[in-house]
Amino acid sequence: MKKLVQKNFKIICFLISILFFPSFANTINAIAYCVPNTVNGCSSGDNISLFSIKGESGVGFSNNSGAGCSAVPLSYSDFTASFSPVILSRTNSYSGNLQTGNANDYATIWIDFDDDGTFENNERLLNNLKIGTINKLYAIRIPDDATLGQHRLRVRIIGSVTSPVTITDPCASYADTETEDYLIEIIGTSSIRSVALGLANSCTELGAMTINAESNNNGNYPVYLVDSDNNYAAAIYTDGNNLGTVQPSFFKNANATRQDITGRYFLDRNLTILVETQPISTYRFRYFYKISELNGLIAQPGSGVTSQFDLVMTKSNHLCTSNFVDFLGILKSIQFPTGFGSYNGDRFLDFVGLTSFSSFFLHGGSTFLGDPTNPLPVNLIAFFGKNFEKNINQLNWEVTNEKDFLGYEIQKSTDSQHFEKIDFVKTNNSEKYQYEDILVNGSSINYYRLKLIDLDGKFSFSKIIALKNEAEIKIFPNPVKNNIMIENSELEIFEIINAFGQIKNIKSIKINNTQQQINISELPVGIYYLKVGNHFRKIIKE
């Protein structure tokens, strides 16, 4: 009740200042903030010797205040008038550096988003991150609903031999502590960033974070892991999991393409994410990487990678290093992407259903992805597809050594998140299979994979292929006897393909700006495919 009365009194004072001193009330400094209390101050070395933050376009400040701290007020400094406000955007992460005078110092950061003079629990963005005497790269995430405009940021460190068991209070008295205030400005949209590059043959540290309810960032939105320039390396969708302190990093290989003893080649980047507490339920994950790294793996003979759709992810206990000796057995934990995307010229993969954090490696190897120590009695040597009509996707696959094998479950994803069974093709001792999906999702991308199932229930998956359905090109009538009309195509030369794959070029006659006509009266009765640009349309000749 006392805190509520104090808060209401501050609000009343603020409203009075608007009426009688409007120019004064327009500044954050017009709001009365508490002066943190302390017993010893920083006399035991528990001081903020360096605090920096890098905002939009890399613009920020760095305050290297050294070993000393304020005497009046004791261990509290107001730097809101000393540095220009740093611009931060909603939903994004921002890095900075912190260094203290004692190895057992813990830092907490708040931003007073509602400008009421109180740093409330829902305004805490970093919760007791251990800093110490070595320069520490940290990061904070700005909430999606952060109030736009200028606000006060408070950073406070407390000295503690062990990790604090309670959250740090922005005002309460601590034996050993220092507190500093700064100004930031929240905007609505962030500028485009890059994918973190990293140093050649080195482990690049990313901004350490606290990801939990106390830090207000454990929801179903992305928490970006960033480097010292705020470039992306990964994003975690924690979906309610409290991870505590998160220490991310990644290794950038600049030597020959790495290969394990099973013969698989690996992308020139691996991520390590160490967490204080492993998740108790599944989480989602986005893995960013450079297009040059993908191209390097594609160029490597024997990698089995021809595009981003050939990549899968392996989790292991190897830390942020180039050294991984043996992946045998670990390959049973292969994670298949559920989404693919591009970002500022580079790439990312999405994964769902993950249950723990460690190190993550991307690799290919072959079209067939399974346990190399216990393979299925079939070799999948090709899997590809074509969009023949707006509502038909044709899938083709080729196999060898098909013995005592059950068949192929066809799975599809229309949202890049979940794969579902759409059909099952039983083995027929053939080397080539074909399947037509007639329930295609409009003009979006449809993802497909095969689940190869043995008679004993053992199974594995193919690579994922993606088929994009372009804008509709209309043909009519169909079936047709003589003339067929084509709409929404600027081409004038078309190809007719018969059941034997034979191709015949046919010239169209332009009727108007949107319609063209071709005469197929001389063709025998049967089923044909009309090729319009890169698209195929099935027609029936009567």
Side-chain angles (χ1 to χ4, degrees), residues 418-464:
H418 305 89
F419 279 89
E420 296 181 353
K421 175 184 175 181
I422 60 173
D423 211 336
F424 182 81
V425 176
K426 191 173 182 180
T427 180
N428 57 16
N429 297 318
S430 172
E431 293 186 349
K432 296 184 179 181
Y433 291 85
Q434 180 176 297
Y435 178 83
E436 287 189 351
D437 178 18
I438 61 173
L439 300 176
V440 171
N441 184 27
S443 60
S444 66
I445 297 176
N446 292 267
Y447 301 92
Y448 298 90
R449 71 182 183 189
L450 299 176
K451 182 178 181 180
L452 294 77
I453 306 176
D454 198 0
L455 290 174
D456 62 4
K458 187 173 60 176
F459 65 88
S460 191
F461 293 98
S462 72
K463 70 176 183 179
I464 296 171

Side-chain angles (χ1 to χ4, degrees), residues 346-448:
D346 290 311
R347 298 288 186 269
F348 64 80
L349 298 178
D350 286 335
F351 299 88
V352 301
L354 302 183
T355 57
S356 64
F357 287 91
S358 53
S359 289
F360 304 89
F361 296 79
L362 296 181
H363 59 87
S366 64
T367 304
F368 171 73
L369 300 171
D371 177 4
T373 65
N374 194 19
L376 297 178
V378 65
N379 292 327
L380 179 61
I381 61 176
F383 179 42
F384 56 93
K386 293 181 179 180
N387 172 229
F388 273 88
E389 296 190 30
K390 184 182 178 184
N391 61 342
I392 296 180
N393 281 340
Q394 186 184 92
L395 308 178
N396 297 273
W397 62 98
E398 299 180 16
V399 299
T400 59
N401 300 327
E402 191 180 61
K403 298 177 182 178
D404 300 323
F405 188 67
L406 182 61
Y408 310 89
E409 180 178 294
I410 301 168
Q411 298 184 355
K412 181 171 73 170
S413 171
T414 57
D415 62 1
S416 297
Q417 294 296 321
H418 305 89
F419 279 89
E420 296 181 353
K421 175 184 175 181
I422 60 173
D423 211 336
F424 182 81
V425 176
K426 191 173 182 180
T427 180
N428 57 16
N429 297 318
S430 172
E431 293 186 349
K432 296 184 179 181
Y433 291 85
Q434 180 176 297
Y435 178 83
E436 287 189 351
D437 178 18
I438 61 173
L439 300 176
V440 171
N441 184 27
S443 60
S444 66
I445 297 176
N446 292 267
Y447 301 92
Y448 298 90

